[in-house]
Amino acid sequence: MKFISVVFVFALVLGSATGQESRFVEPVTLHDYHPFRQLAAAANWDKRKVEIRNRVLLSAGLLPFPERTPLNTSRFGTVEREGFQVERICFESFPGHYVTGSLFTPRGKSLNLGLIDGKRPGILCPHGHWTNGRFFDLIEKSGERAVRAQIASGGERFETAARNPIIARCVQLARMGCVVLVYDMIGYADSVQLPEHRRGSRAEMNSSEAGKWGFISPQATLRLQTNFGLQTWNSIRALDCLSELAEVDTDRILVTGASGGATQTLVLAAIDDRVDASFPAVMASTAMQGGCTCENSHYLRIDQGNVDIAAAFAPKPQGLTAADDWTIELQTKGHPDLRSLYQQLKKPANYEAHFNTHFKHNYNQVSRAQMYAFVNSHFGLGFEAPILESDFAYLGKDDLSLLQGDTSPFVDYSEGEDHERALNRIWAENSDHQLLAALNPKNSNQEEGWLRTGWETILRANAVRDLVSQFELTEKQHTNGVVEMKGIIARESDGDSFTTLVHYPENWNNQVLIRLEPHGIAAGIEDAGDTTILIPDLYGQNDDAAQNQATAVSGNKVQPADSWQRSPIYFYGYNDSVFVRRVHDLVSAVSMVNNHPKWDATEIVIEARGELAAVALAAGVILGDQVDQISIDPEGFDFGKISDLNDDYMVPGALKYGGMAGLRALNSVAKDL
């Protein structure tokens, strides 16, 4: 897909006649430069690692994890080949939602390989966006000439592996004594309950009624229900399935995939401690971050990119490959950072990278051989190097598919939009049940756990909690014992700034009231006795250019309205919402009051009504005891009533984390007006 390439710059333009400001920020996209975020010292890594992990979990809608319902695993239809066998397998990641795949295990002489205390390494293989997934056939896709070209280039040695490199790696790993599970992505191979791997917005799937909304809808967005989240949960449950097999050594678990399968590899390794080694091929880079809706989600790449997500697995064993694609510059961009991190963590031998840039995008036999050597080394398999594949009898769709004739392994099976609605309902009900428990006063420890973590991650609290902002005077006049000022509050952290009105009584009582108004400084200030009053121009107020920025990406007019490329994840996954930017402005205003060299405020109060009450409460989550009181009247505002994905108050995940009730639960100083 094609997005507008943009540069992330701030532009501050003050209109002398109107007092309006423009802080429009060209949106960050998946095609921009996403460098590794350096740390001052390795001692800070554990904290940074948790931040990355929490952001990935949040973006997937998996903070906290849903209930792990029974997998109800089914294995059948064994096909035997030299040195290995393959079974059809399926399990339920959510009740009634089936994950399908193939399970490869050793056979014959291979049964004596890979064993430690009677257990074998477990290998999880997400397949990526190759046509038809594990049913991929290069002959079917591009003809026999393409197969010969792969062999001639040295990319492959055998026709069978060239036809399906996904199955080739499963076969070889099983012949090395491993248990290998390759599972279908949504809409690939046997995973046809949701036939579309990428879905756009559809009017018939947009409803506020429980059980009637689908993905890419306001209600799903407010609960962080996305393709990416479902795919990630399927990966976690696939690891559950693999780990439950009696023959699998749960201390030797590898996940490896290429392209979109490498995105799943990176993500799963970052969030699941059971993964012992990771080998993501041709994905990790500072360039394109992954174009599919299964690779993007709200908040996922704010303050981090794929190299940071890869780093979250450190210091465990990790191997990368690069090719002549978006990873072509990995050797100079990304790899040095990862190598340095592993060195700082005193585990340099646990990291390796291979730069096979004479090949196009692939997971060919050259890269696979590098992966086999990696597995051999870190899992103690004892093979002599180099490890080369041997040929195998081709396995086609008829050998692998679960959907054979009239026999079905599925129970209570549904598909299409009805299944999509039911799946979102199950997910939402589970999430709502967890939320009710967290909001119960008896469970305050839970409230201070994932509920707070969720909101603080949404709000990027760590980026602004300790910020310093300054006030620069632009206008000043004295009227009846009051100094009326207009000026700019600027943050030192990012240089962003906004206009503020100040009502400063000469007989000031050391109390400050920060009042939020729907039209910002246009509201003006009436005399309020001896209290200093501030009215900030929050982000987008009095500035049409800065409002509804999500349309700059998710509203790409080149694509039809229902295109998956118009998904809001492509904005909210890389950029702060208007709401979050307004919260940061309010935090900056409080910082200015606390840091003003001539002020000695003894009490700070925030006052807000309507939608702005949510901004005030959200700022309170960040500020804590930096404010004395937050006085609000929501006037019926509810995040659940938002019906536009580009609304200024659209906050992905707001309902998952309790909406106004969740924000209020995290504010000890909130009062009703």
Side-chain angles (χ1 to χ4, degrees), residues 80 83 143 196 222 262 320 434 514 576 593 634:
E80 297 182 347
E196 295 295 329
L222 288 162
L320 309 180
Q434 293 173 318
I514 301 175
D576 284 330
V593 173

Side-chain angles (χ1 to χ4, degrees), residues 40-52:
N44 300 323
W45 180 241
D46 286 345
K47 180 181 178 181
R48 175 61 179 148
K49 187 172 181 177
V50 169
E51 290 176 350
I52 297 170

Side-chain angles (χ1 to χ4, degrees), residues 159-415:
E159 178 181 315
T160 49
R163 289 181 68 179
N164 193 335
I166 297 167
I167 295 302
R169 78 174 183 261
C170 298
V171 168
Q172 177 61 27
L173 287 165
R175 285 174 165 173
M176 291 168 64
C178 303
V179 176
V180 187
L181 174 59
V182 54
Y183 57 107
D184 297 329
M185 292 199 300
I186 304 161
Y188 279 76
D190 289 323
S191 181
V192 294
Q193 284 182 284
L194 298 174
E196 295 295 329
H197 182 68
R198 305 175 175 101
R199 284 174 293 277
S201 179
R202 295 144 293 165
E204 67 274 16
M205 303 298 281
N206 184 355
S207 172
S208 60
E209 186 176 343
K212 292 191 176 181
W213 70 75
F215 293 112
I216 324 295
S217 66
Q219 289 297 317
T221 298
L222 288 162
R223 290 172 170 80
L224 294 173
Q225 296 174 325
T226 62
N227 287 14
F228 171 80
L230 178 59
Q231 190 64 64
T232 303
W233 184 239
N234 287 351
S235 296
I236 291 170
R237 299 313 313 268
L239 185 50
D240 289 345
C241 177
L242 183 66
S243 299
E244 288 181 2
L245 300 179
E247 64 268 41
V248 168
D249 183 352
T250 55
D251 290 327
R252 290 187 293 166
I253 298 288
L254 168 80
V255 57
T256 181
S259 192
T263 301
Q264 295 172 61
T265 300
L266 290 166
V267 166
L268 186 62
I271 64 176
D272 199 314
D273 291 335
R274 295 174 296 174
V275 178
D276 299 297
S278 173
F279 201 96
V282 293
M283 190 66 233
S285 80
T286 59
M288 199 278 294
Q289 298 293 287
C292 183
T293 55
C294 77
E295 300 176 273
N296 289 274
S297 190
H298 313 288
Y299 307 114
L300 180 58
R301 295 186 180 90
I302 296 176
D303 294 332
Q304 63 190 38
N306 283 350
V307 176
D308 301 88
I309 295 172
F313 192 61
K316 290 183 178 181
Q318 181 167 210
L320 309 180
T321 71
D324 184 7
D325 53 21
W326 55 86
T327 63
I328 194 168
E329 294 184 305
L330 178 65
Q331 189 167 10
T332 57
K333 296 179 181 179
H335 161 66
D337 300 305
L338 292 170
R339 180 180 58 192
S340 175
L341 176 63
Y342 273 82
Q343 289 171 343
Q344 290 176 9
L345 297 175
K346 304 188 185 307
K347 292 288 185 179
N350 277 359
Y351 172 75
E352 62 187 61
H354 306 275
F355 311 105
N356 308 319
T357 53
H358 52 299
F359 292 113
K360 295 294 184 181
H361 194 61
N362 72 88
Y363 202 173
N364 62 24
Q365 67 92 17
V366 175
S367 298
R368 295 196 302 272
Q370 292 158 348
M371 180 265 290
Y372 303 144
F374 174 87
V375 175
N376 184 48
S377 172
H378 291 288
F379 285 174
L381 300 185
F383 290 93
E384 291 186 6
I387 301 172
L388 300 177
E389 294 177 347
S390 55
D391 203 0
F392 61 94
Y394 181 72
L395 292 163
K397 180 177 179 180
D398 290 342
D399 301 301
L400 301 173
S401 179
L402 282 73
L403 306 176
Q404 299 285 334
D406 297 329
T407 304
S408 173
F410 308 128
V411 179
D412 296 329
Y413 185 83
S414 64
E415 62 183 22

